[in-house]
Amino acid sequence: MSAVLSSRAAATPIAAASSTAWALTLLRLALGIMWTAHALLKPLVFTFAGTARYFESVGLAGALVAPVFAAEVAIGLALILGAYARQTALLSLPMLLVIVWVHLPNGWVHVAQGGGWEYPAFLCISSIVLWLAGDGALALRRSARFVPGAR
């Protein structure tokens, strides 16, 4: 019986993945779904014109709506698929830091009027964790470029 429980030779690649790999997969999927859902708010709820007005109200150019939407969709899909997930998490940080900056005047708690910086700061830390720790299981494409400790 112990030979059956300890044997890894018969395990499939999915079953052999560590709990850490599965945890990183959950983190990667949660971040990817968040990015995709956040992107879809722009055309489906706020409209692009409404989002442009909001951008302008916080000091950003309204013309940034289309590139921001495209970047959010691309980041979300790359994370969900696990396509260069670590690099994608790193690439998302400048946008997340701008979001923190936009929400700084509203205070810490994200449910405050105008939304605080608590949630965007948490997303920054989550993205840094994914970048540092790995792609997780079931990643479509992996790369060691721009990864800490890679040679």
Side-chain angles (χ1 to χ4, degrees):
M1 179 73 155
S2 65
V4 172
L5 293 176
S6 65
S7 173
R8 296 192 70 111
T12 64
I14 291 175
S18 71
S19 60
T20 301
W22 287 113
L24 290 169
T25 302
L26 287 174
L27 177 61
R28 189 186 82 224
L29 289 172
L31 284 169
I33 291 167
M34 184 285 306
W35 277 107
T36 305
H38 194 77
L40 292 175
L41 285 172
K42 289 167 180 59
L44 301 178
V45 176
F46 303 126
T47 73
F48 288 125
T51 303
R53 284 191 299 276
Y54 173 74
F55 278 21
E56 291 165 352
S57 78
V58 297
L60 300 171
L64 289 174
V65 170
V68 165
F69 172 75
E72 289 175 346
V73 169
I75 290 167
L77 291 176
L79 290 171
I80 289 168
L81 296 172
Y84 306 107
R86 295 176 83 174
Q87 293 79 6
T88 301
L90 180 63
L91 185 65
S92 74
L93 285 174
M95 192 179 309
L96 287 169
L97 290 171
V98 168
I99 295 166
V100 169
W101 171 76
V102 164
H103 289 281
L104 269 176
N106 303 330
W108 166 253
V109 182
H110 197 63
V111 295
Q113 176 87 22
W117 56 275
E118 165 190 25
Y119 184 61
F122 177 78
L123 294 173
C124 284
I125 300 302
S126 299
S127 295
I128 292 169
V129 168
L130 185 63
W131 173 60
L132 291 172
D135 298 297
L138 307 177
L140 186 64
R141 293 268 186 205
R142 300 173 194 272
S143 174
R145 292 185 58 110
F146 306 110
V147 173
R151 295 175 188 215

